[in-house]
Amino acid sequence: VAVGGENSALLSHVMEELVRFRSKVRLYALALPAQGAEGAQGPQEEQKEKRKEMMQERKPLLEACDSLRRDLAAFGVHIQ
């Protein structure tokens, strides 16, 4: 893609969308469940265990985000 060309602008928009998508996936994967009345009464150890299980289930999402970041870096696109 030639810098400054029409395709350059298109590529820029595509990259912005990829970064936005990756950010949303990471936010979801790292989000902790809201504690309602039931969560507040449960033992703290039980809450920690549930959080650990949830993070384990969402680990593939985080790994996919990291993989996308590495793949794009190979093309000179760096996401921080």
Side-chain angles (χ1 to χ4, degrees):
V1 176
V3 175
E6 187 177 311
N7 289 333
S8 180
L10 177 62
L11 181 60
S12 177
H13 290 298
V14 169
M15 294 310 308
E16 288 174 15
E17 288 300 319
L18 274 172
V19 169
R20 204 177 345 259
F21 174 76
R22 180 184 175 274
S23 295
K24 286 179 182 179
V25 170
R26 282 186 49 77
L27 282 175
Y28 167 77
L30 295 172
L32 296 176
Q35 290 184 345
E38 182 181 324
Q41 295 173 359
Q44 190 172 6
E45 196 61 37
E46 184 178 320
Q47 291 176 11
K48 284 183 181 180
E49 186 61 34
K50 285 182 182 179
R51 202 173 295 136
K52 185 178 177 181
E53 288 175 14
M54 182 191 68
M55 293 307 293
Q56 196 63 23
E57 290 173 358
R58 295 178 180 182
K59 187 176 179 179
L61 289 173
L62 293 170
E63 289 172 347
C65 287
D66 289 341
S67 177
L68 174 62
R69 186 169 45 100
R70 282 190 305 271
D71 293 347
L72 292 174
F75 294 102
V77 178
H78 301 282
I79 301 173
Q80 296 183 349

